């Protein structure tokens, strides 16, 4: 291969085209996804890279002439890094198609609110200017977590905001926080809002709660930072053997007993 062709490929010129086809309108954490990757080779040989990514917010403090300033920046986290079932390099002008079955991690964020999740298929090109196919995906809760959300809604709690926020001292660099407001039912007039963090393991759905009876405003990541410091006291663990209805009932009973 000539030096000129290698240089063109490293700059993203004459490189392969990648198209990722996800055969699901909705994906569920913990389940398998059927994916087809179609690749048309360019002028050089290149390897294929496949990642599942999400975005979260992080609060950073920067020094300036006017003192310290707080900024919210967006960070990308790789939830899963998949490889093809065998080593493969696409050759110039070659067309290949791959059928893959990929496991969606248990703690893939639910794509409501500001949460964004996508499959990113790229090519291993030096200097990093690779043609990348980014395919946003829709992620919905599994039956157990859906039972929790349904129970909260039945009690008059409506989701107002959902964000993925940076956290320290946790399994992942972020947690997904759900914020509810009572628009009806037994909590209307007594709660300002209910905040909840959810985390899945193989055997449990772990939930942390914070109840706000006053308007406090506050900075980004208050609940997540409390979790990182071990200050969240309302924690409930639900067995994955529960039915959705049983999980929802346990959550409501827990909230009634601890408030």
């Amino acid at each position: 291969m000539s030096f000129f062709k290698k240089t063109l490929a490293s700059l993203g010129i004459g490189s392969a085209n990648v198209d990722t086809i996800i055969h699901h309108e909705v994906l569920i954490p913990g389940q398998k996804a059927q994916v087809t990757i179609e690749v048309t080779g360019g002028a050089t040989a290149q390897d294929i890279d496949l990642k599942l990514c999400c975005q979260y917010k992080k609060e950073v403090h920067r020094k300036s002439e006017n003192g310290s300033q707080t900024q919210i920046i967006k960070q990308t986290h790789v939830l899963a890094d998949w490889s093809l079932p065998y080593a493969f390099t696409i050759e110039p002008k070659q067309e290949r198609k791959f059928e893959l079955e990929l496991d969606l991690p248990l703690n893939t964020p639910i794509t409501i609110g500001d949460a964004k999740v996508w499959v990113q298929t790229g090519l291993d090109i030096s200097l990093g200017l690779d043609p990348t196919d980014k395919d946003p995906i829709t992620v919905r809760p599994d039956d157990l977590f859906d039972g929790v959300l349904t129970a909260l809604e039945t009690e008059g709690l409506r989701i107002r905001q959902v964000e993925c926020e940076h956290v320290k001292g946790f399994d992942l660099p972020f947690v997904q926080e759900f914020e509810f407001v009572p628009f009806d039912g037994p909590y209307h007039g007594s709660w300002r809002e209910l905040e909840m963090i959810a985390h899945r393991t193989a055997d449990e759905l772990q939930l942390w709660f914070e109840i706000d009876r006053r308007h406090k405003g506050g900075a980004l990541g208050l609940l997540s930072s409390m979790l990182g410091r071990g200050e969240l006291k309302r924690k409930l663990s639900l067995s994955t053997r529960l039915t959705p209805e049983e999980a929802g009932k346990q959550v409501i009973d827990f909230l009634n007993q601890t408030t």
Side-chain angles (χ1 to χ4, degrees):
M1 183 189 304
S2 70
F3 171 79
F4 181 65
K5 285 187 176 180
K6 286 184 179 179
T7 303
L8 287 179
S10 69
L11 294 175
I13 303 171
S15 52
N17 294 318
V18 183
D19 187 26
T20 305
I21 302 169
I22 302 170
H23 300 285
H24 306 266
E25 291 185 3
V26 173
L27 292 170
I28 307 294
Q31 294 187 359
K32 295 184 181 296
Q34 307 297 325
V35 178
T36 299
I37 300 177
E38 297 178 348
V39 187
T40 303
T44 58
Q46 293 141 2
D47 296 316
I48 299 172
D49 182 49
L50 185 65
K51 292 180 172 66
L52 179 70
C53 302
C54 70
Q55 184 175 272
Y56 65 93
K57 295 180 180 180
K58 182 178 181 180
E59 191 176 87
V60 296
H61 302 281
R62 305 185 189 277
K63 292 183 178 180
S64 66
E65 295 179 356
N66 299 324
S68 179
Q69 291 185 338
T70 299
Q71 292 182 330
I72 306 299
I73 62 173
K74 294 180 179 179
Q75 300 279 86
T76 296
H77 176 69
V78 178
L79 292 158
D81 195 345
W82 297 306
S83 59
L84 296 178
Y86 52 86
F88 173 76
T89 301
I90 186 72
E91 299 295 336
K93 299 183 180 179
Q94 185 181 14
E95 295 182 1
R96 294 294 300 266
K97 180 183 291 188
F98 302 93
E99 303 291 340
L100 303 176
E101 187 176 67
L102 307 175
D103 293 312
L104 207 67
L106 288 172
N107 286 293
T108 302
I110 309 303
T111 52
I112 56 177
D114 291 336
K116 293 181 175 61
V117 180
W118 65 93
V119 173
Q120 182 169 304
T121 312
L123 302 170
D124 184 12
I125 302 174
S126 62
L127 302 183
L129 296 177
D130 59 317
T132 300
D133 185 31
K134 292 185 178 181
D135 296 277
I137 63 174
T138 300
V139 182
R140 291 294 178 253
D142 61 12
D143 289 343
L144 190 67
F145 192 33
D146 188 60
V148 171
L149 297 175
T150 299
L152 293 172
E153 184 178 18
T154 301
E155 293 297 305
L157 292 162
R158 177 181 295 163
I159 292 178
R160 176 168 63 186
Q161 189 173 19
V162 181
E163 290 187 324
C164 291
E165 298 181 355
H166 174 68
V167 65
K168 295 181 180 179
F170 205 62
D171 294 352
L172 295 169
F174 71 92
V175 290
Q176 189 167 27
E177 181 179 323
F178 297 78
E179 184 179 298
F180 302 84
V181 292
F183 68 94
D184 198 0
Y187 310 116
H188 183 67
S190 59
W191 293 2
R192 284 280 188 176
E193 64 182 22
L194 170 71
E195 296 172 293
M196 179 180 71
I197 289 174
H199 182 76
R200 270 295 303 269
T201 68
D203 302 316
E204 291 182 329
L205 170 62
Q206 299 174 339
L207 301 171
W208 289 264
F209 300 94
E210 183 70 14
I211 296 169
D212 181 19
R213 291 182 173 83
R214 63 193 185 282
H215 182 68
K216 62 181 178 228
L220 174 71
L222 178 61
L223 185 61
S224 58
S225 63
M226 291 174 66
L227 174 63
R229 296 193 300 268
E231 295 177 0
L232 283 180
K233 305 304 180 184
R234 292 187 180 94
K235 179 184 177 182
L236 176 65
S237 296
L238 300 172
S239 169
T240 54
R241 294 189 294 271
L242 294 172
T243 66
E245 292 76 19
E246 290 170 338
K249 184 178 184 305
Q250 284 198 21
V251 167
I252 299 304
D253 290 344
F254 175 79
L255 290 174
N256 289 335
Q257 293 168 7
T258 58
T259 57

